[in-house]
Amino acid sequence: MIKKAITYDFNNTIIDRIKGPSGISAEEIESYIKKASEIHNILASKREIGGLPFYELPYRKDEVEEIKALGESVKEEMSNSIENVLVIGIGGSSLGGIALIKSLTHPFYNLLPEHLRKTPRIFYAENIDPDEIMGLFELLDPEKTIINIISKSGNTAEPMANFLLFHKFMVEKIGEENFKKHVIVTTDIEKGTMRQIANDIGARTLKIPEGVGGRFSVLTSVGLFPAYLAGIDIDLLLEGAAFMDRLCKNEDIFENPAYMNAIIHYHLHTRRGVNMAVLMPYSQALAEISVWYRQLLSESLGKTYSLSGEVVYAGQTPIKAVGAIDQHSQIQLYREGPFDKIITILTVKNFKNFLNIPALFDSYEGTSYLGGHTLNELFEAEKQATILALVKSGRPNIEITLPEINPFTVGQLLYLYEVQTVFAGFLYNIDSLDQPGVEAGKNYAYGLLGRKGYENMRDEVNNFPESNKRYIIG
Ligand code: PA5
């Protein structure tokens, strides 16, 4: 296991290389030094008074001990027949855990035979798609399944509905008394319906620390508990995050990858109309990190109002891409379409495996050049070719390199993006920690389903003008 720093290379955003409308000069970057120092001081003083609790997550040893203790008892129960953990949660309550499990376990973790896996299979019920939920009913044996329901607010319609469905499904088979041993509730320390239900049924619980929003909660019990159950070294993950924290304490933007990444994205967006940010790992394992990043950016920076109440419509659109797959789809647009994207390539220096491509069918020109190379070399060559092609067509791109994929490097990467996002919030002068747009959708849904206290929302939806048939085809 390589316990090394990830590297952040922004050469391919600089005008010397990126000819055309999207290159940035060193002077443009340096013009942010004063502003960055002001934001740095605001962040430091907010942090000092506990105003940004996500910053402290790498250091909450007590909570980690609680997570491990509960995880150990689940693993013990495994020897008495527990095979599956079903995590119920959505958005910030699911995406971080999924990103950890996909990046840090076997690529086909759930499909591995038990003697190779040794830890429970982990499923996620995120959506409320009846066909998918029925699929889980068909797959999971209640006697062999533990449910981990995660909801910070303890009130969100989707996880609540799925919890009710799985409660009935499980209780019918194993009985009410037994059910409480099969459920673990991760929620706010005291607020919310889910906390009350946990108390009512006497379920085991884990807490989500006060003031840590869903999309910043991957390093709390939200992400750490499922990760621990899947056999991931969560101490090392937090060590990686703490390592990045030390870098991110640097006021000098040329020493701080989170600040520099925020500045480059913000500058290209607000001065050059680069309103999309692509995250493209050349790694299947890191693909779900792009999905986590998509939420982090969207919910944090997509805001109508500035902190002083002006209409600003802030935020870049984050896009998920995966190399080399998307070289055969999106890259055409990125190279030749509008100059409205910045692309971050995630590179893995050392994969766990080296695979030699067999020198077969070497009388054919279409295969002979591959034989004798490794799959790793081909992956690297494809990535380099993409970067070169982007540079040649004047498209700004950044390369973040992980020496290898392990908890230490993934911890760094996640933490870097969280600090970058909060720093960017100050550049845009918006509140990166609220999510009024998400709340509005939740409230309309409550109204439509007749939840008490949301009658105005229901009326608003019901009074929506009828659709004009002329604009409906079919
Ligand atoms: O980041 C956020 O705040 C949201 O995406 C929430 O995580 C999501 O809506 C789920 O909320 P909760 O965990 O309260 O059920």
Side-chain angles (χ1 to χ4, degrees):
M1 210 267 314
I2 309 175
K3 219 161 114 182
K4 274 196 187 159
I6 62 176
T7 57
Y8 173 81
D9 182 344
F10 60 102
N11 268 287
N12 294 339
T13 61
I14 306 295
I15 194 86
D16 313 358
R17 281 205 189 157
I18 299 297
K19 310 289 178 209
S22 306
I24 313 178
S25 66
E27 292 71 37
E28 283 175 290
I29 292 179
E30 285 156 10
S31 73
Y32 285 89
I33 289 176
K34 188 166 167 279
K35 179 81 188 159
S37 156
E38 283 164 20
I39 298 175
H40 177 79
N41 291 333
I42 296 173
L43 290 174
S45 48
K46 272 187 178 288
R47 191 173 172 175
E48 220 168 274
I49 55 164
L52 289 168
F54 85 87
Y55 265 114
E56 313 312 329
L57 294 175
Y59 311 103
R60 296 175 71 111
K61 298 278 177 240
D62 290 355
E63 265 158 45
V64 174
E65 288 317 310
E66 265 177 54
I67 290 166
K68 285 186 188 170
L70 192 51
E72 282 312 303
S73 65
V74 171
K75 285 185 194 166
E76 215 175 289
E77 287 154 32
M78 231 189 123
S79 56
N80 301 322
S81 84
I82 292 302
E83 279 178 6
N84 315 303
V85 172
L86 173 70
V87 184
I88 299 176
I90 198 163
S93 290
S94 61
L95 298 173
I98 294 172
L100 292 179
I101 290 170
K102 279 306 269 183
S103 55
L104 296 169
T105 65
H106 188 280
F108 302 102
Y109 176 78
N110 276 352
L111 299 180
L112 282 177
E114 214 178 303
H115 71 278
L116 291 178
R117 192 167 21 86
K118 295 197 176 75
T119 42
R121 300 191 293 176
I122 315 273
F123 296 90
Y124 272 81
E126 298 178 88
N127 215 341
I128 39 173
D129 179 327
D131 294 343
E132 192 189 35
I133 298 302
M134 181 53 87
L136 286 166
F137 287 162
E138 284 159 2
L139 195 68
L140 302 174
D141 176 350
E143 279 175 1
K144 298 181 177 170
T145 302
I146 281 189
I147 288 181
N148 178 207
I149 157 98
I150 307 181
S151 177
K152 161 90 177 153
S153 63
N155 273 318
T156 310
E158 296 90 341
M160 291 304 113
N162 282 337
F163 173 72
L164 297 176
L165 282 156
F166 277 95
H167 182 285
K168 181 167 184 286
F169 170 69
M170 303 274 289
V171 166
E172 272 172 7
K173 185 88 188 272
I174 62 175
E176 193 91 48
E177 191 48 35
N178 215 1
F179 176 68
K180 71 172 184 214
K181 295 190 211 129
H182 284 248
V183 62
I184 292 160
V185 177
T186 306
T187 190
D188 187 82
I189 297 167
E190 36 178 61
K191 289 193 288 271
T193 311
M194 210 52 233
R195 173 58 65 181
Q196 290 168 19
I197 293 177
N199 294 342
D200 288 351
I201 62 178
R204 292 173 286 182
T205 61
L206 285 168
K207 50 182 180 289
I208 306 175
E210 181 78 42
V212 179
R215 57 193 178 274
F216 290 89
S217 69
V218 55
L219 301 178
T220 70
S221 52
V222 170
L224 296 182
F225 184 60
Y228 186 74
L229 291 178
I232 294 168
D233 185 340
I234 59 173
D235 290 318
L236 202 53
L237 184 75
L238 295 173
E239 216 185 296
F243 181 89
M244 183 52 68
D245 180 30
R246 285 194 288 284
L247 275 185
C248 293
K249 278 185 178 141
N250 222 316
E251 184 173 341
D252 180 350
I253 58 175
F254 285 89
E255 298 291 332
N256 186 325
Y259 290 3
M260 185 57 85
N261 211 23
I263 288 168
I264 288 172
H265 280 73
Y266 171 81
H267 186 77
L268 283 173
H269 180 206
T270 54
R271 306 289 190 276
R272 308 287 168 79
V274 173
N275 53 27
M276 295 180 216
V278 180
L279 186 58
M280 185 170 186
Y282 269 73
S283 148
Q284 210 50 48
L286 298 179
E288 290 297 319
I289 290 192
S290 295
V291 182
W292 169 85
Y293 162 85
R294 210 162 57 182
Q295 185 208 15
L296 183 68
L297 239 71
S298 303
E299 283 194 1
S300 305
L301 303 180
K303 299 289 153 74
T304 301
Y305 297 104
S306 72
L307 288 171
S308 38
E310 292 134 27
V311 171
V312 287
Y313 299 124
Q316 275 177 313
T317 302
I319 297 174
K320 174 194 174 190
V322 180
I325 300 170
D326 284 307
Q327 277 178 229
H328 303 269
S329 66
Q330 300 184 54
I331 283 293
Q332 171 62 32
L333 172 71
Y334 298 172
R335 276 203 71 192
E336 296 194 13
F339 285 80
D340 58 2
K341 294 169 202 72
I342 170 164
I343 297 129
T344 301
I345 304 283
L346 291 184
T347 292
V348 178
K349 203 149 187 221
N350 295 292
F351 284 86
K352 291 183 189 67
N353 299 289
F354 275 88
L355 289 180
N356 291 310
I357 304 174
L360 298 171
F361 302 104
D362 56 4
S363 57
Y364 296 103
E365 192 271 323
T367 43
S368 62
Y369 74 99
L370 292 169
H373 288 290
T374 62
L375 208 53
N376 312 56
E377 283 171 332
L378 178 60
F379 216 8
E380 176 61 22
E382 299 237 358
K383 184 211 74 191
Q384 275 181 20
T386 298
I387 291 178
L388 182 67
L390 288 169
V391 170
K392 280 196 76 174
S393 47
R395 312 299 162 137
N397 62 87
I398 283 161
E399 187 173 14
I400 298 181
T401 302
L402 282 71
E404 67 176 27
I405 301 175
N406 63 42
F408 189 73
T409 55
V410 169
Q412 291 179 59
L413 185 65
L414 298 175
Y415 200 86
L416 183 160
Y417 273 122
E418 289 183 352
V419 176
Q420 173 196 322
T421 303
V422 170
F423 184 90
F426 281 96
L427 289 173
Y428 283 104
N429 190 32
I430 50 100
D431 183 348
S432 59
L433 301 179
D434 68 359
Q435 57 283 323
V438 174
E439 312 293 350
K442 285 185 181 184
N443 294 341
Y444 282 127
Y446 295 151
L448 273 173
L449 288 168
R451 184 171 177 176
K452 212 166 152 233
Y454 294 86
E455 294 77 8
N456 289 348
M457 309 306 279
R458 186 192 51 218
D459 294 346
E460 221 184 294
V461 179
N462 288 342
N463 292 334
F464 197 67
E466 251 185 53
S467 297
N468 186 335
K469 292 204 168 49
R470 186 169 178 224
Y471 304 135
I472 301 174
I473 300 175

